Amino acid sequence: MAQLTVRNVPQQIITRLKQRAVANGRSAEAEHREILRTALLPAEGSFADRARAMRQRFRSCIDSTDTIRADRDRDAPA
């Protein structure tokens, strides 16, 4: 895994970072990684959120009602 060095960080930011790390029960280094991960990687979200996005992405403008009805009528006992 690569290393990252950040120079010239204002003391106020370092203090807030350490406070945030303590509040989240992490080391300052682990907090750095978490901040970078949440800022740069896509959020996974809940299953419901992912399902909603997938339905939206694959939404069709074709109404399949007639096709389904024809299939049911064809397969219905005479």
Coordinates of all heavy atoms in Angstrom, one line a residue:
M1 N 0.8 -1.2 0.0 CA 0.0 0.0 0.0 C 0.9 1.2 0.0 O 1.9 1.3 0.7 CB -0.9 0.0 1.2 CG -2.1 0.9 1.1 SD -3.2 0.8 2.5 CE -4.1 -0.7 2.1
A2 N 0.5 2.3 -0.7 CA 1.3 3.5 -0.9 C 1.2 4.3 0.4 O 0.3 4.2 1.2 CB 0.8 4.3 -2.1
Q3 N 2.2 5.2 0.5 CA 2.2 6.2 1.6 C 1.9 7.6 1.0 O 2.2 7.9 -0.2 CB 3.5 6.2 2.3 CG 3.8 4.9 3.0 CD 5.1 5.0 3.8 OE1 5.8 6.0 3.8 NE2 5.4 3.9 4.5
L4 N 1.3 8.5 1.8 CA 1.0 9.8 1.4 C 1.5 10.8 2.5 O 1.3 10.6 3.6 CB -0.5 9.9 1.3 CG -1.1 11.3 0.9 CD1 -0.7 11.6 -0.5 CD2 -2.6 11.2 1.0
T5 N 2.2 11.8 2.0 CA 2.7 12.8 2.9 C 2.0 14.1 2.6 O 2.0 14.5 1.4 CB 4.2 13.0 2.8 OG1 4.8 11.7 3.1 CG2 4.8 14.0 3.8
V6 N 1.5 14.8 3.6 CA 0.9 16.1 3.3 C 1.6 17.2 4.2 O 1.7 17.0 5.4 CB -0.6 16.1 3.7 CG1 -1.3 17.5 3.5 CG2 -1.4 15.0 3.0
R7 N 2.1 18.2 3.5 CA 2.9 19.2 4.2 C 2.1 20.5 4.3 O 1.1 20.7 3.6 CB 4.2 19.5 3.4 CG 5.2 18.3 3.4 CD 6.4 18.7 2.6 NE 7.4 17.7 2.7 CZ 7.5 16.6 1.8 NH1 6.5 16.5 0.9 NH2 8.4 15.7 1.9
N8 N 2.6 21.3 5.3 CA 2.0 22.6 5.5 C 0.5 22.6 5.9 O -0.3 23.4 5.4 CB 2.3 23.5 4.3 CG 3.7 23.7 4.0 OD1 4.6 23.8 4.9 ND2 4.1 23.6 2.7
V9 N 0.2 21.7 6.7 CA -1.2 21.6 7.2 C -1.4 22.5 8.4 O -0.6 22.4 9.4 CB -1.6 20.2 7.6 CG1 -3.0 20.1 8.1 CG2 -1.4 19.2 6.4
P10 N -2.3 23.5 8.4 CA -2.5 24.4 9.5 C -2.8 23.6 10.8 O -3.5 22.6 10.8 CB -3.7 25.3 9.1 CG -3.8 25.1 7.6 CD -3.3 23.7 7.3
Q11 N -2.3 24.2 11.9 CA -2.5 23.6 13.2 C -4.0 23.4 13.5 O -4.3 22.4 14.2 CB -1.8 24.4 14.3 CG -1.8 23.8 15.7 CD -1.1 22.4 15.7 OE1 -0.1 22.2 15.2 NE2 -1.8 21.4 16.3
Q12 N -4.8 24.3 13.2 CA -6.2 24.2 13.4 C -6.8 22.9 12.8 O -7.6 22.2 13.4 CB -7.0 25.4 12.9 CG -8.4 25.4 13.2 CD -9.1 26.6 12.6 OE1 -8.6 27.3 11.8 NE2 -10.4 26.8 12.9
I13 N -6.4 22.6 11.6 CA -6.9 21.4 10.9 C -6.3 20.1 11.6 O -7.1 19.1 11.8 CB -6.5 21.4 9.4 CG1 -7.3 22.5 8.7 CG2 -6.7 20.0 8.8 CD1 -7.0 22.7 7.3
I14 N -5.1 20.1 12.0 CA -4.5 19.0 12.8 C -5.2 18.8 14.1 O -5.6 17.6 14.4 CB -3.0 19.2 13.0 CG1 -2.2 19.3 11.7 CG2 -2.4 18.2 13.9 CD1 -0.8 19.7 11.8
T15 N -5.5 19.8 14.8 CA -6.3 19.7 16.0 C -7.6 19.1 15.8 O -8.1 18.2 16.5 CB -6.4 21.1 16.7 OG1 -5.1 21.6 16.9 CG2 -7.2 21.0 18.0
R16 N -8.4 19.6 14.8 CA -9.7 19.1 14.5 C -9.6 17.6 14.1 O -10.5 16.8 14.4 CB -10.4 19.9 13.4 CG -10.8 21.3 13.9 CD -12.1 21.2 14.8 NE -13.2 20.6 14.0 CZ -13.9 19.6 14.4 NH1 -13.7 19.0 15.6 NH2 -14.9 19.1 13.7
L17 N -8.6 17.3 13.3 CA -8.4 15.9 12.9 C -8.3 15.0 14.1 O -8.9 13.9 14.2 CB -7.2 15.8 11.9 CG -6.9 14.4 11.5 CD1 -8.0 13.9 10.5 CD2 -5.6 14.3 10.8
K18 N -7.4 15.4 15.0 CA -7.2 14.6 16.2 C -8.5 14.5 17.0 O -8.8 13.4 17.6 CB -6.0 15.2 17.0 CG -4.7 15.0 16.4 CD -3.6 15.6 17.2 CE -2.2 15.4 16.5 NZ -1.1 16.0 17.2
Q19 N -9.2 15.5 17.1 CA -10.5 15.5 17.9 C -11.5 14.5 17.2 O -12.1 13.8 17.9 CB -11.1 16.9 18.0 CG -10.3 17.9 18.9 CD -10.8 19.3 18.7 OE1 -11.5 19.6 17.8 NE2 -10.4 20.1 19.7
R20 N -11.5 14.6 15.9 CA -12.4 13.7 15.2 C -12.0 12.3 15.3 O -12.9 11.4 15.5 CB -12.4 14.1 13.7 CG -13.3 13.3 12.8 CD -13.4 13.9 11.4 NE -13.9 12.9 10.5 CZ -14.3 13.2 9.3 NH1 -14.3 14.4 8.9 NH2 -14.8 12.2 8.5
A21 N -10.7 12.0 15.3 CA -10.2 10.7 15.5 C -10.6 10.1 16.8 O -11.1 9.0 16.9 CB -8.7 10.6 15.3
V22 N -10.4 10.9 17.9 CA -10.8 10.5 19.2 C -12.3 10.2 19.3 O -12.8 9.2 19.8 CB -10.4 11.5 20.3 CG1 -11.0 11.2 21.6 CG2 -8.8 11.6 20.4
A23 N -13.1 11.1 18.7 CA -14.6 11.0 18.8 C -15.0 9.7 18.1 O -16.0 9.1 18.4 CB -15.2 12.2 18.1
N24 N -14.3 9.3 17.0 CA -14.6 8.1 16.3 C -13.9 6.8 16.7 O -14.0 5.8 16.1 CB -14.4 8.3 14.8 CG -15.4 9.3 14.2 OD1 -16.5 9.3 14.5 ND2 -14.9 10.2 13.3
G25 N -13.1 7.0 17.8 CA -12.4 5.8 18.3 C -11.3 5.3 17.4 O -11.1 4.1 17.4
R26 N -10.7 6.1 16.7 CA -9.6 5.8 15.7 C -8.4 6.5 16.0 O -8.4 7.6 16.6 CB -10.0 6.0 14.3 CG -11.2 5.2 13.8 CD -11.4 5.4 12.3 NE -12.2 6.5 12.0 CZ -13.5 6.4 11.6 NH1 -14.0 5.2 11.4 NH2 -14.3 7.4 11.3
S27 N -7.3 6.0 15.5 CA -6.0 6.8 15.5 C -6.1 7.9 14.5 O -7.0 7.9 13.6 CB -4.8 5.9 15.2 OG -4.9 5.5 13.8
A28 N -5.2 8.9 14.6 CA -5.2 10.0 13.6 C -5.0 9.4 12.2 O -5.6 9.9 11.2 CB -4.2 11.0 14.0
E29 N -4.1 8.4 12.1 CA -3.8 7.9 10.8 C -5.0 7.1 10.2 O -5.3 7.3 9.0 CB -2.6 6.9 10.9 CG -2.2 6.3 9.6 CD -1.0 5.5 9.7 OE1 -0.2 5.6 10.7 OE2 -0.8 4.6 8.8
A30 N -5.7 6.4 11.0 CA -6.9 5.7 10.6 C -8.0 6.7 10.2 O -8.7 6.5 9.2 CB -7.4 4.8 11.7
E31 N -8.1 7.8 10.9 CA -9.0 8.9 10.5 C -8.7 9.5 9.2 O -9.6 9.8 8.4 CB -9.1 9.9 11.6 CG -10.2 10.9 11.5 CD -11.6 10.2 11.8 OE1 -11.7 9.1 12.4 OE2 -12.6 10.7 11.3
H32 N -7.4 9.7 8.9 CA -7.0 10.2 7.6 C -7.5 9.3 6.5 O -8.0 9.7 5.5 CB -5.4 10.2 7.5 CG -4.7 11.1 8.4 ND1 -3.4 11.0 8.7 CD2 -5.1 12.2 9.2 CE1 -3.0 11.9 9.5 NE2 -4.0 12.6 9.9
R33 N -7.2 8.0 6.7 CA -7.7 7.0 5.7 C -9.2 7.1 5.5 O -9.7 7.0 4.3 CB -7.2 5.6 6.0 CG -5.7 5.4 5.8 CD -5.4 3.9 6.0 NE -5.6 3.4 7.3 CZ -4.7 3.4 8.3 NH1 -3.5 3.8 8.0 NH2 -5.0 2.9 9.4
E34 N -9.9 7.1 6.6 CA -11.4 7.2 6.5 C -11.9 8.4 5.7 O -12.8 8.4 4.9 CB -12.0 7.1 7.9 CG -13.5 7.0 7.9 CD -14.1 5.9 7.1 OE1 -13.4 4.9 6.9 OE2 -15.3 5.9 6.8
I35 N -11.3 9.6 6.0 CA -11.7 10.8 5.4 C -11.4 10.7 3.9 O -12.3 11.1 3.1 CB -10.9 12.0 6.0 CG1 -11.4 12.3 7.4 CG2 -11.1 13.2 5.1 CD1 -10.6 13.2 8.2
L36 N -10.2 10.2 3.5 CA -9.9 10.0 2.1 C -10.8 9.0 1.4 O -11.3 9.3 0.3 CB -8.5 9.6 1.9 CG -7.4 10.7 2.3 CD1 -6.0 10.1 2.3 CD2 -7.5 11.8 1.3
R37 N -11.1 7.9 2.1 CA -12.0 6.9 1.5 C -13.4 7.5 1.2 O -14.0 7.3 0.2 CB -12.1 5.7 2.4 CG -12.9 4.5 1.8 CD -13.2 3.5 2.8 NE -14.1 3.9 3.9 CZ -15.4 4.1 3.8 NH1 -15.9 3.9 2.6 NH2 -16.1 4.5 4.8
T38 N -14.0 8.2 2.2 CA -15.3 8.7 2.1 C -15.4 9.8 1.0 O -16.4 10.0 0.4 CB -15.9 9.1 3.4 OG1 -15.1 10.1 4.0 CG2 -16.1 8.0 4.4
A39 N -14.3 10.6 0.9 CA -14.3 11.7 0.0 C -14.1 11.2 -1.5 O -14.6 11.8 -2.4 CB -13.2 12.7 0.4
L40 N -13.3 10.1 -1.6 CA -12.9 9.8 -3.0 C -13.5 8.5 -3.6 O -13.5 8.3 -4.8 CB -11.4 9.6 -3.0 CG -10.6 10.9 -2.6 CD1 -9.1 10.6 -2.5 CD2 -10.9 12.0 -3.5
L41 N -14.1 7.7 -2.8 CA -14.7 6.4 -3.3 C -16.2 6.6 -3.3 O -16.8 7.2 -2.4 CB -14.3 5.2 -2.4 CG -12.8 4.9 -2.5 CD1 -12.5 3.7 -1.6 CD2 -12.3 4.7 -3.9
P42 N -16.9 6.0 -4.2 CA -18.3 6.1 -4.3 C -19.0 5.4 -3.0 O -18.5 4.4 -2.5 CB -18.7 5.3 -5.5 CG -17.6 4.5 -5.8 CD -16.3 5.1 -5.3
A43 N -20.0 6.1 -2.6 CA -20.7 5.5 -1.4 C -21.4 4.3 -1.8 O -22.0 4.2 -2.9 CB -21.7 6.6 -0.9
E44 N -21.4 3.3 -0.9 CA -22.1 2.0 -1.2 C -23.6 2.2 -1.0 O -24.4 1.7 -1.7 CB -21.5 0.9 -0.4 CG -20.1 0.6 -0.8 CD -19.6 -0.6 0.0 OE1 -20.4 -1.4 0.5 OE2 -18.4 -0.7 0.1
G45 N -24.0 2.9 0.0 CA -25.4 3.1 0.3 C -26.1 1.8 0.7 O -25.5 0.8 0.8
S46 N -27.3 2.0 1.0 CA -28.1 0.8 1.5 C -28.5 0.0 0.3 O -28.5 0.4 -0.8 CB -29.3 1.3 2.3 OG -30.3 1.9 1.4
F47 N -29.0 -1.2 0.6 CA -29.5 -2.1 -0.5 C -30.7 -1.4 -1.2 O -30.7 -1.4 -2.5 CB -30.0 -3.4 0.1 CG -30.6 -4.3 -0.9 CD1 -29.8 -5.0 -1.8 CD2 -32.0 -4.4 -1.0 CE1 -30.4 -5.8 -2.8 CE2 -32.5 -5.2 -2.0 CZ -31.8 -5.9 -2.9
A48 N -31.6 -0.8 -0.5 CA -32.7 -0.1 -1.1 C -32.2 1.0 -2.0 O -32.8 1.2 -3.1 CB -33.6 0.4 0.0
D49 N -31.2 1.8 -1.6 CA -30.7 2.8 -2.5 C -30.1 2.3 -3.8 O -30.3 2.8 -4.8 CB -29.7 3.7 -1.7 CG -30.2 4.5 -0.6 OD1 -31.4 4.7 -0.6 OD2 -29.4 4.8 0.3
R50 N -29.3 1.2 -3.6 CA -28.7 0.6 -4.8 C -29.8 0.0 -5.7 O -29.7 0.1 -7.0 CB -27.7 -0.5 -4.4 CG -26.5 0.1 -3.7 CD -25.4 -0.9 -3.5 NE -25.7 -2.2 -3.0 CZ -25.8 -2.5 -1.8 NH1 -25.5 -1.7 -0.8 NH2 -26.1 -3.8 -1.4
A51 N -30.8 -0.6 -5.2 CA -31.9 -1.2 -6.0 C -32.7 -0.1 -6.7 O -33.0 -0.3 -7.9 CB -32.8 -2.0 -5.1
R52 N -33.0 1.0 -6.0 CA -33.7 2.1 -6.6 C -32.9 2.7 -7.8 O -33.4 2.9 -8.9 CB -33.9 3.2 -5.6 CG -34.8 4.3 -6.0 CD -35.2 5.3 -4.9 NE -35.7 4.7 -3.7 CZ -35.0 4.5 -2.5 NH1 -33.8 5.1 -2.4 NH2 -35.5 3.9 -1.5
A53 N -31.6 2.8 -7.6 CA -30.7 3.3 -8.7 C -30.7 2.4 -9.9 O -30.7 2.8 -11.0 CB -29.3 3.6 -8.1
M54 N -30.7 1.1 -9.6 CA -30.6 0.1 -10.7 C -31.9 0.1 -11.4 O -32.0 0.1 -12.7 CB -30.4 -1.3 -10.1 CG -30.2 -2.3 -11.2 SD -29.7 -3.9 -10.5 CE -28.1 -3.6 -10.1
R55 N -33.1 0.2 -10.7 CA -34.4 0.3 -11.4 C -34.4 1.5 -12.3 O -34.9 1.4 -13.4 CB -35.5 0.3 -10.4 CG -35.9 -1.1 -9.8 CD -37.2 -1.1 -9.1 NE -37.2 0.0 -8.0 CZ -36.8 -0.2 -6.8 NH1 -36.3 -1.3 -6.4 NH2 -37.0 0.8 -5.9
Q56 N -34.0 2.6 -11.8 CA -34.0 3.8 -12.6 C -33.1 3.7 -13.8 O -33.5 4.1 -14.9 CB -33.5 5.0 -11.7 CG -33.6 6.3 -12.3 CD -35.0 6.8 -12.5 OE1 -35.9 6.4 -11.8 NE2 -35.2 7.6 -13.6
R57 N -31.9 3.1 -13.6 CA -31.0 3.0 -14.8 C -31.5 2.1 -15.9 O -31.3 2.3 -17.0 CB -29.7 2.5 -14.2 CG -28.6 2.4 -15.3 CD -27.3 2.1 -14.7 NE -27.4 1.0 -13.8 CZ -26.4 0.5 -13.0 NH1 -25.3 1.0 -13.1 NH2 -26.7 -0.5 -12.2
F58 N -32.3 1.0 -15.5 CA -32.7 0.1 -16.4 C -34.2 0.2 -16.8 O -34.8 -0.6 -17.4 CB -32.5 -1.4 -16.0 CG -31.0 -1.7 -15.9 CD1 -30.4 -1.9 -14.7 CD2 -30.3 -1.8 -17.0 CE1 -29.1 -2.2 -14.6 CE2 -28.9 -2.1 -17.0 CZ -28.3 -2.3 -15.8
R59 N -34.8 1.3 -16.4 CA -36.2 1.6 -16.7 C -36.4 1.6 -18.2 O -35.6 2.2 -19.0 CB -36.6 3.0 -16.1 CG -38.0 3.3 -16.5 CD -38.4 4.7 -15.9 NE -38.8 4.4 -14.5 CZ -38.8 5.3 -13.6 NH1 -38.4 6.6 -13.9 NH2 -39.1 5.0 -12.4
S60 N -37.5 1.0 -18.6 CA -37.8 0.9 -20.0 C -39.1 1.8 -20.3 O -39.9 1.9 -19.4 CB -38.1 -0.5 -20.4 OG -38.6 -0.6 -21.7
C61 N -39.1 2.3 -21.4 CA -40.3 3.1 -21.8 C -41.3 2.2 -22.6 O -42.3 2.7 -23.0 CB -39.9 4.3 -22.6 SG -39.1 3.9 -24.2
I62 N -41.0 0.9 -22.7 CA -41.9 0.0 -23.4 C -42.9 -0.5 -22.4 O -42.6 -1.1 -21.3 CB -41.1 -1.1 -24.0 CG1 -40.1 -0.6 -25.0 CG2 -42.1 -2.2 -24.6 CD1 -39.2 -1.6 -25.5
D63 N -44.2 -0.5 -22.7 CA -45.2 -1.0 -21.8 C -45.4 -2.5 -22.2 O -45.8 -2.8 -23.3 CB -46.6 -0.3 -22.0 CG -47.6 -0.7 -21.1 OD1 -47.4 -1.6 -20.2 OD2 -48.8 -0.3 -21.2
S64 N -45.1 -3.4 -21.3 CA -45.2 -4.8 -21.6 C -46.5 -5.4 -21.2 O -46.7 -6.6 -21.3 CB -44.1 -5.5 -20.8 OG -44.2 -5.3 -19.4
T65 N -47.5 -4.6 -20.9 CA -48.8 -5.1 -20.5 C -49.4 -6.0 -21.6 O -49.9 -7.1 -21.3 CB -49.7 -4.0 -20.1 OG1 -49.1 -3.2 -19.1 CG2 -51.1 -4.5 -19.6
D66 N -49.4 -5.5 -22.8 CA -50.0 -6.2 -23.9 C -49.3 -7.6 -24.2 O -49.9 -8.6 -24.4 CB -50.0 -5.4 -25.2 CG -51.0 -4.2 -25.0 OD1 -51.9 -4.3 -24.3 OD2 -50.7 -3.2 -25.7
T67 N -48.0 -7.6 -24.1 CA -47.2 -8.8 -24.3 C -47.5 -9.8 -23.2 O -47.7 -11.0 -23.5 CB -45.7 -8.5 -24.3 OG1 -45.5 -7.5 -25.3 CG2 -44.9 -9.7 -24.6
I68 N -47.6 -9.4 -22.0 CA -47.9 -10.3 -20.9 C -49.3 -10.8 -21.0 O -49.5 -12.0 -20.9 CB -47.7 -9.6 -19.5 CG1 -46.2 -9.2 -19.3 CG2 -48.2 -10.4 -18.4 CD1 -45.9 -8.3 -18.1
R69 N -50.2 -10.0 -21.3 CA -51.6 -10.4 -21.5 C -51.7 -11.5 -22.6 O -52.4 -12.5 -22.5 CB -52.5 -9.2 -21.8 CG -54.0 -9.6 -22.1 CD -54.7 -10.1 -20.9 NE -54.7 -9.2 -19.8 CZ -54.7 -9.6 -18.5 NH1 -54.8 -10.8 -18.2 NH2 -54.6 -8.7 -17.5
A70 N -51.0 -11.2 -23.8 CA -51.1 -12.2 -24.9 C -50.5 -13.5 -24.5 O -51.0 -14.6 -24.8 CB -50.3 -11.6 -26.1
D71 N -49.4 -13.5 -23.7 CA -48.8 -14.8 -23.2 C -49.7 -15.5 -22.3 O -49.9 -16.7 -22.4 CB -47.5 -14.5 -22.5 CG -46.3 -14.2 -23.5 OD1 -46.5 -14.5 -24.7 OD2 -45.3 -13.7 -23.0
R72 N -50.4 -14.8 -21.4 CA -51.3 -15.4 -20.5 C -52.5 -16.0 -21.2 O -53.0 -17.1 -20.9 CB -51.8 -14.4 -19.4 CG -50.7 -14.1 -18.4 CD -51.2 -13.1 -17.4 NE -50.2 -12.8 -16.5 CZ -50.3 -11.8 -15.6 NH1 -51.3 -11.0 -15.6 NH2 -49.3 -11.5 -14.8
D73 N -53.0 -15.3 -22.2 CA -54.2 -15.8 -23.0 C -53.8 -17.0 -23.8 O -54.5 -17.9 -23.9 CB -54.7 -14.7 -23.9 CG -55.4 -13.5 -23.1 OD1 -55.7 -13.8 -21.9 OD2 -55.6 -12.5 -23.7
R74 N -52.6 -17.0 -24.3 CA -52.1 -18.1 -25.1 C -51.9 -19.4 -24.3 O -52.2 -20.5 -24.7 CB -50.7 -17.7 -25.8 CG -50.2 -18.8 -26.7 CD -48.7 -18.6 -27.1 NE -47.9 -18.8 -25.9 CZ -46.9 -18.0 -25.5 NH1 -46.6 -17.0 -26.3 NH2 -46.2 -18.3 -24.5
D75 N -51.4 -19.2 -23.1 CA -51.2 -20.3 -22.2 C -52.4 -20.8 -21.4 O -52.3 -21.8 -20.7 CB -50.0 -20.0 -21.2 CG -48.7 -19.8 -22.0 OD1 -48.6 -20.3 -23.1 OD2 -47.8 -19.1 -21.5
A76 N -53.4 -20.0 -21.4 CA -54.6 -20.3 -20.6 C -55.3 -21.6 -21.1 O -55.3 -21.8 -22.4 CB -55.6 -19.2 -20.6
P77 N -55.8 -22.5 -20.2 CA -56.5 -23.7 -20.7 C -57.8 -23.3 -21.5 O -58.5 -22.3 -21.2 CB -56.9 -24.4 -19.4 CG -56.5 -23.5 -18.3 CD -55.8 -22.4 -18.8
A78 N -58.0 -24.1 -22.5 CA -59.2 -23.8 -23.4 C -60.5 -24.2 -22.8 O -60.7 -24.9 -22.0 CB -59.0 -24.4 -24.7

